[in-house]
């Protein structure tokens, strides 16, 4: 007896009792991490805050300020429209399975999670989609529900509105469900329980329909703690295994508890793990790993546990504090091979370093602790994960578009695909198309056009007017309100993010001064100066001699040195962040001539670096500092330009090879 099963836009012919791997088949799964859903048109259940009346929708909008967006690595408000546009795009492509690898909410507030659940059910009905979620460090924020809130909602007359939940320091002493507290802020602080940061139980209950709990339609479903297998699977057993009480493990300050617990470990606490494996259709296994690790404080009391956030823990801490889940991953991979299943693993955190090997250079330029380098997995962590045998993993967290590949001498192999965020530059999502058990085509879909993306601009204009009138230091560039597409809007976002946050916080002062006073032509000239020749003036015999050398260097490369003056240091910095965020997707926004000029500068500076230049001291000359600082920056840019394919590519899980798909 044969059955026909529709998969995406194709038909899959399955002979009863045979493995789908023996048949021609196509599994297509979309991955949308870091959507950070904010329900701009939802309602506070307690009516504590109603928002701002929007003239286009006719509804009250509950939104964050534009300044908050432009100083965050993610947008907050426009995600509401971008997610819909992406799901409509996927639906029209015939995609039936959509994975949400973490940070699907923005700190697990009931208000936002409730809105997301409603939207996902809407798209289930609209396109027959199924969603599979696994949490990130923003959902939940801690293992247990905690007070929360934000200080930068947009209130009346363009003013900033603070909204927090009871128990937060901003609402201490207020026992009522809602309250308004007068402070020195522009508007009274609003207290509302809609702003609590939901813990695991709240998030898993709300999102249970999206893979976290089994569906009667699933062919198979398990957790790291269930005790059945494929051969004796029953839905009723899966239901019991999905109960919150059955998905707990022990974690200690020093490492994993339970059977892994070592003498002297403590304090230890029991927390939830929402990981699961699901087979939604014959032959396809989706392994959703909950890679959140909330480390308990070493001095925490058992009656009042304290946990750190999981944002910088990732897989480095998974190997030490969540060993049971890593062991389960290896077991799943082994069974997938034995049963001839197509396995794809996804989680919130990257399994491979995401700077194309440039992390050490970044630390040297900008200092330890900058550029979110603490979030990168160590090489031994990546090797351990490759040895689990999962083969391919799709992650998020960084809002980066990137592909990392690790091939080790012991034969282990790992493809780590970093899917970008719809809430950042470049807004996009990934589609993995499995054309055989070992062959995958990866497509990156850029979400350029988003209906209604500018619907909230009237409120931002009011905010800008207020900031301008009060001479606020938070004034942003209102040219962003002229963006003619969502893509252009995110391009403005990363530009303002670099200006308002990244450059002031991450770049050393001496480097910033060089950046803001030099254009590309001047950088090329300085690269040709000899040690001690620069006197702070862009004139004189030494400067003219270096200018002539720069002119000759450019001519030999088929360029005009004066063309370098078309860009300045700030534009260089923005391009730096564009490439780091979006990899080859950023090439559409950086002129090809400028990229060639960057490469010429890379070589010019590298050729003049000496071992003595490799460390800046009190006696370093300007030329030494420039060569090292900017030589390293251009070298990192060059590294970003020569990474693995990260847009449309093909991978072979058996051979470890990959190739570009045109």
């Amino acid at each position: 007896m044969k059955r026909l099963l529709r998969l995406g836009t194709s038909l899959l012919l399955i002979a009863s009792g045979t493995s789908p791997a023996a048949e021609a088949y196509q599994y297509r799964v979309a991955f949308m991490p870091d959507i950070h859903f904010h329900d701009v048109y939802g309602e506070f259940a307690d009516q504590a805050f109603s928002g701002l009346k929007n003239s286009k929708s006719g509804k009250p909008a509950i939104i964050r300020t534009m300044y908050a967006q432009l100083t965050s690595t993610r947008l907050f408000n426009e995600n509401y429209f971008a997610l819909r546009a992406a799901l409509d795009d996927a639906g029209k492509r015939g995609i039936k399975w959509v994975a949400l690898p973490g940070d699907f909410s923005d700190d697990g507030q009931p208000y936002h999670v409730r809105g997301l659940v409603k939207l996902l059910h809407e798209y289930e009905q609209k396109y027959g989609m199924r969603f599979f979620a696994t949490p990130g460090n923003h959902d939940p924020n801690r293992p247990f529900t905690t007070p929360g809130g934000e200080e930068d909602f947009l209130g009346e007359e363009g003013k900033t509105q603070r909204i927090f939940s009871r128990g937060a320091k901003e609402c201490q002493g207020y026992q009522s469900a809602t309250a308004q507290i007068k402070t020195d802020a522009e508007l009274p602080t609003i207290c509302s329980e809609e702003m609590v940061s939901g813990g695991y139980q709240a998030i898993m209950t709300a999102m249970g329909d999206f893979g976290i709990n089994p569906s009667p339609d699933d062919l198979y479903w398990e957790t790291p703690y269930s005790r059945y297998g494929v051969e004796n699977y029953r839905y009723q057993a899966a239901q019991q295994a999905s109960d919150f009480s059955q998905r707990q493990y022990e974690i200690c300050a020093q490492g994993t508890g339970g059977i892994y617990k070592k003498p002297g470990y403590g304090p230890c606490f029991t927390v939830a793990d929402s990981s699961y494996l699901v087979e939604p259709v014959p032959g396809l296994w989706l392994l959703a790993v909950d890679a959140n690790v909330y480390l308990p404080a070493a001095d925490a009391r058992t009656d009042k546990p304290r946990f750190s956030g999981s944002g910088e823990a990732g897989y480095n801490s998974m190997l030490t504090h969540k060993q049971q889940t890593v062991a389960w991953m290896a077991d799943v991979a082994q069974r997938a091979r034995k049963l001839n299943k197509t396995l794809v693993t996804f989680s919130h955190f990257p399994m491979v370093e995401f700077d194309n090997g440039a992390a050490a250079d970044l630390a040297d330029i900008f200092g330890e602790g900058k550029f979110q380098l603490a979030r990168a997995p160590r090489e031994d962590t990546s090797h351990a994960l490759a040895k689990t045998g999962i083969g391919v993993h799709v992650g998020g967290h960084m809002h980066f578009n990137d592909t990392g590949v690790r091939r080790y001498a012991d034969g282990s192999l790992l493809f780590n695909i970093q899917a970008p965020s719809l809430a950042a530059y470049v807004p996009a999502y990934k589609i993995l198309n499995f054309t055989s058990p070992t062959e995958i085509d990866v497509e990156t879909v850029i979400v350029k056009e988003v209906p209604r993306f500018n619907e909230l601009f009237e409120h931002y204009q009011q905010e800008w007017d207020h900031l301008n009138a009060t001479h606020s230091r938070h004034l942003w560039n209102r040219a962003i309100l002229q963006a003619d597409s969502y893509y252009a809007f995110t391009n403005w976002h990363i530009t303002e993010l670099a200006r308002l946050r990244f450059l002031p916080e991450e770049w050393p002062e001496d480097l910033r001064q060089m950046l803001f006073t030099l254009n590309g032509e001047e950088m090329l000239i300085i690269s040709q100066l000899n040690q001690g020749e620069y006197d702070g003036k862009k004139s004189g015999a030494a400067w003219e001699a270096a200018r002539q050398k720069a002119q000759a260097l450019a001519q030999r490369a088929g360029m005009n040195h004066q063309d370098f003056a078309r860009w300045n240091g700030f534009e260089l910095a923005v391009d730096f962040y564009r490439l780091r965020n979006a990899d080859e997707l950023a090439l559409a926004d950086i002129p090809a001539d400028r990229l060639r000029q960057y490469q010429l500068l890379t070589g010019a500076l590298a050729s003049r670096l000496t071992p003595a230049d490799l460390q800046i001291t009190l006696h370093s000359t300007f030329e030494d500092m420039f060569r090292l600082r900017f030589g390293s920056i251009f070298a990192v840019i060059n590294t970003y330009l020569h990474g693995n394919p990260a847009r449309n590519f093909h991978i072979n899980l058996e051979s470890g090879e990959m190739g570009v798909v045109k």
Side-chain angles (χ1 to χ4, degrees):
M1 175 112 183
K2 292 183 177 181
R3 296 179 290 137
L4 282 177
L5 176 66
R6 183 171 297 278
L7 290 180
T9 56
S10 64
L11 288 175
L12 171 63
L13 187 64
I14 300 177
S16 180
T18 65
S19 166
E23 307 286 342
Y25 68 90
Q26 185 182 59
Y27 301 121
R28 300 172 70 212
V29 186
F31 293 84
M32 299 182 185
D34 301 288
I35 58 179
H36 290 281
F37 184 78
H38 183 120
D39 192 4
V40 300
Y41 287 131
E43 289 185 9
F44 275 30
D46 55 19
Q47 305 300 310
F49 182 60
S50 58
L52 307 169
K53 185 66 175 291
N54 183 269
S55 66
K56 293 183 179 180
S57 67
K59 300 176 182 178
I62 298 177
I63 59 177
R64 306 277 287 279
T65 64
M66 177 63 87
Y67 180 77
Q69 298 202 116
L70 296 180
T71 52
S72 171
T73 55
R74 63 192 185 275
L75 293 164
F76 298 110
N77 307 323
E78 281 64 37
N79 315 349
Y80 176 90
F81 307 108
L83 177 58
R84 287 180 172 276
L87 292 177
D88 281 328
D89 180 85
K92 291 170 184 175
R93 294 170 183 264
I95 301 294
K96 298 301 180 186
W97 307 306
V98 179
L100 305 176
D103 283 3
F104 43 76
S105 72
D106 204 55
D107 288 340
Q109 302 95 334
Y111 165 71
H112 296 318
V113 174
R114 197 166 60 239
L116 176 63
V117 169
K118 181 179 178 181
L119 184 147
L120 297 181
H121 282 314
E122 175 188 334
Y123 277 84
E124 285 178 335
Q125 296 298 315
K126 188 174 184 179
Y127 293 109
M129 289 177 168
R130 281 201 63 192
F131 295 94
F132 302 94
T134 191
N137 57 296
H138 282 276
D139 36 38
N141 212 314
R142 295 292 190 276
F144 306 104
T145 295
T146 58
E150 304 293 347
E151 62 180 8
D152 48 25
F153 282 90
L154 187 55
E156 59 188 27
E157 300 176 353
K159 299 175 182 178
T160 301
Q161 176 66 67
R162 293 151 49 105
I163 310 178
F164 290 87
S165 72
R166 210 169 49 230
K169 67 179 186 297
E170 293 80 0
C171 291
Q172 285 289 353
Y174 285 80
Q175 299 302 316
S176 60
T178 63
Q180 290 198 2
I181 305 170
K182 291 184 178 181
T183 66
D184 293 335
E186 292 181 316
L187 296 171
T189 299
I190 292 174
C191 300
S192 170
E193 291 310 281
E194 290 284 27
M195 284 293 104
V196 299
S197 294
Y200 264 110
Q201 189 158 22
I203 297 295
M204 291 172 67
T205 299
M207 298 292 290
D209 288 346
F210 310 115
I212 291 176
N213 291 337
S215 164
D217 297 328
D218 294 333
L219 299 176
Y220 186 68
W221 187 96
E222 72 173 36
T223 78
Y225 314 101
S226 53
R227 292 294 176 263
Y228 49 78
V230 174
E231 64 285 348
N232 59 350
Y233 177 71
R234 293 182 301 109
Y235 172 62
Q236 292 77 11
Q239 277 187 306
Q240 293 175 0
S242 69
D243 188 85
F244 186 72
S245 65
Q246 302 302 307
R247 304 171 78 170
Q248 308 286 316
Y249 74 102
E250 187 179 39
I251 186 170
C252 306
Q254 301 83 359
T256 317
I259 61 171
Y260 300 93
K261 192 172 183 178
K262 295 181 180 179
Y265 272 20
C268 302
F269 302 93
T270 300
V271 297
D273 175 3
S274 66
S275 302
Y276 62 92
L277 168 69
V278 62
E279 184 174 6
V281 291
L284 176 64
W285 275 15
L286 299 177
L287 180 57
V289 178
D290 175 358
N292 278 329
V293 180
Y294 299 96
L295 301 179
D299 60 347
R301 303 198 316 262
T302 54
D303 63 327
K304 196 174 183 180
R306 289 185 293 110
F307 298 88
S308 60
S310 68
E312 295 186 354
Y315 279 96
N316 292 328
S317 294
M318 282 283 288
L319 295 184
T320 56
H321 286 74
K322 218 167 178 178
Q323 293 167 268
Q324 79 286 349
T325 304
V326 177
W328 172 68
M329 291 162 58
D331 180 63
V332 168
Q334 184 180 44
R335 284 183 284 141
R337 288 190 295 272
K338 181 179 179 181
L339 297 172
N340 212 9
K341 305 292 184 182
T342 296
L343 175 68
V344 58
T345 302
F346 65 98
S347 73
H348 184 58
F349 297 92
M351 290 188 173
V352 167
E353 181 265 340
F354 37 75
D355 277 300
N356 294 350
D361 289 330
L362 290 171
D364 288 341
I365 302 168
F366 301 104
E368 297 291 339
K370 301 289 183 67
F371 271 66
Q372 303 182 82
L373 295 176
R375 297 184 169 195
R378 296 186 303 269
E379 193 56 39
D380 61 335
T381 297
S382 298
H383 190 185
L385 294 168
K387 288 194 289 187
T388 64
I390 60 171
V392 62
H393 168 261
V394 182
H397 190 43
M398 300 306 302
H399 305 177
F400 289 177
N401 177 57
D402 184 63
T403 310
V405 186
R406 292 294 185 271
R407 306 174 182 91
Y408 295 101
D410 59 10
S412 58
L413 169 72
L414 179 63
F415 288 95
N416 182 78
I417 300 168
Q418 286 299 114
S421 169
L422 294 169
Y425 172 89
V426 165
Y429 69 95
K430 298 279 188 185
I431 297 174
L432 267 61
N433 179 18
F434 291 80
T435 56
S436 86
T438 58
E439 305 278 336
I440 310 172
D441 288 331
V442 181
E443 179 182 3
T444 306
V445 181
I446 299 174
V447 182
K448 290 187 175 182
E449 301 299 331
V450 171
R452 303 167 58 194
F453 84 95
N454 58 359
E455 191 163 286
L456 305 171
F457 282 17
E458 63 185 72
H459 307 301
Y460 303 143
Q461 181 62 60
Q462 192 174 31
E463 175 193 347
W464 189 91
D465 290 340
H466 174 68
L467 293 172
N468 187 49
T470 56
H471 307 289
S472 172
R473 61 185 177 87
H474 292 168
L475 193 66
W476 37 268
N477 189 344
R478 65 173 173 177
I480 192 173
L481 301 182
Q482 303 304 313
D484 58 4
S485 68
Y486 183 63
Y487 182 95
F489 184 69
T490 62
N491 200 357
W492 266 110
H493 176 255
I494 198 166
T495 302
E496 283 291 87
L497 180 59
R499 181 178 72 89
L500 295 171
R501 174 178 165 182
F502 287 156
L503 285 169
E505 292 185 2
E506 296 184 337
W507 293 56
E509 184 177 356
D510 61 340
L511 184 52
R512 287 203 310 272
Q513 289 178 349
M514 294 180 193
L515 203 66
F516 290 133
T517 57
L518 299 173
N519 64 31
E521 182 185 17
E522 292 161 346
M523 292 180 193
L524 187 63
I525 293 171
I526 293 173
S527 76
Q528 301 304 300
L529 285 169
N530 295 319
Q531 190 175 39
E533 288 187 335
Y534 186 66
D535 59 2
K537 299 178 182 178
K538 299 171 185 176
S539 61
W543 183 268
E544 178 58 26
R547 190 191 67 78
Q548 291 180 11
K549 290 180 184 178
Q551 182 178 0
L553 180 64
Q555 285 178 340
R556 288 195 298 271
M559 303 177 192
N560 185 331
H561 74 102
Q562 293 177 325
D563 291 341
F564 285 63
R566 294 178 179 174
W567 52 270
N568 57 37
F570 176 68
E571 290 170 304
L572 166 66
V574 173
D575 287 345
F576 185 93
Y577 285 109
R578 284 187 179 121
L579 287 166
R580 191 180 193 227
N581 263 45
D583 203 284
E584 62 185 279
L585 302 184
L587 299 181
D589 298 311
I590 306 174
D593 287 347
R594 193 190 299 174
L595 288 171
R596 287 193 290 271
Q597 292 162 8
Y598 288 169
Q599 290 183 307
L600 182 65
L601 273 160
T602 303
L605 290 166
S607 67
R608 295 174 66 86
L609 277 173
T610 67
D613 295 327
L614 297 180
Q615 186 166 356
I616 293 176
T617 69
L618 292 174
H619 305 292
S620 296
T621 65
F622 178 89
E623 295 90 344
D624 288 339
M625 290 192 293
F626 178 83
R627 275 194 287 270
L628 180 58
R629 295 288 205 198
F630 279 81
S632 298
I633 289 170
F634 284 113
V636 171
I637 287 176
N638 193 55
T639 299
Y640 289 151
L641 290 170
H642 292 88
N644 295 308
R647 183 166 187 173
N648 300 325
F649 53 95
H650 177 85
I651 60 179
N652 186 304
L653 296 175
E654 195 168 53
S655 67
E657 297 174 347
M658 53 184 314
V660 177
V661 176
K662 299 295 185 181

